[in-house]
């Protein structure tokens, strides 16, 4: 469930997803225009698009466009990759490099 959508002065367009059981994922540096239907209180399904990578985070303007993702379990920050399926990890490792 989308628990919050906000614009942060330093991290740009942000979306918080409540997965239940005290698990939250925070997506930041999104394009200002989110995917259709992404708003506070909406329930999303696995695989639904939240938005696109943006350049809205002032704190990270020197970096290449990227998604900033954070995750907490019962209020404690955790490594989001610990919660990804192997298929998702494989997909990330095969993504084109942005190195020049």
């Amino acid at each position: 469930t989308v628990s919050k959508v906000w614009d942060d002065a330093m991290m740009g367009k942000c979306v918080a997803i409540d997965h239940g059981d005290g698990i939250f994922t925070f997506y930041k540096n999104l394009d200002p225009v989110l995917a259709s239907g992404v708003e506070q209180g909406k329930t999303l399904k696995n695989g639904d698009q939240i938005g696109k990578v943006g350049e809205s985070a002032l704190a990270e303007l020197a970096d290449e466009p990227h998604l900033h993702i954070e995750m907490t379990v019962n209020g404690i920050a955790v490594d989001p990759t610990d919660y990804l399926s192997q298929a998702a990890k494989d997909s990330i490792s095969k993504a084109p490099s942005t190195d020049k």
Side-chain angles (χ1 to χ4, degrees):
T1 303
V2 179
S3 62
K4 185 175 179 182
V5 175
W6 74 103
D7 292 303
D8 183 89
M10 296 305 291
M11 295 308 297
K13 179 62 86 179
C14 305
V15 174
I17 305 292
D18 180 351
H19 300 278
D21 297 325
I23 301 170
F24 288 83
T25 307
F26 305 91
Y27 300 90
K28 300 178 178 182
N29 195 37
L30 294 164
D31 185 85
V33 178
L34 298 175
S36 178
V38 175
E39 56 190 54
Q40 189 169 331
K42 292 289 186 168
T43 299
L44 304 176
K45 300 184 317 283
N46 188 23
D48 282 351
Q49 183 176 8
I50 296 167
K52 294 183 179 180
V53 170
E55 297 181 80
S56 60
L58 292 178
E60 298 181 346
L61 278 179
D63 297 335
E64 294 286 329
H66 65 281
L67 175 65
H68 182 102
I69 185 171
E70 300 172 17
M71 190 172 191
T72 62
V73 176
N74 297 320
I76 299 169
V78 297
D79 183 347
T81 61
D82 290 343
Y83 294 82
L84 295 175
S85 68
Q86 189 58 51
K89 290 177 185 179
D90 292 345
S91 174
I92 291 168
S93 70
K94 293 177 185 171
S97 173
T98 58
D99 295 339
K100 295 181 181 177

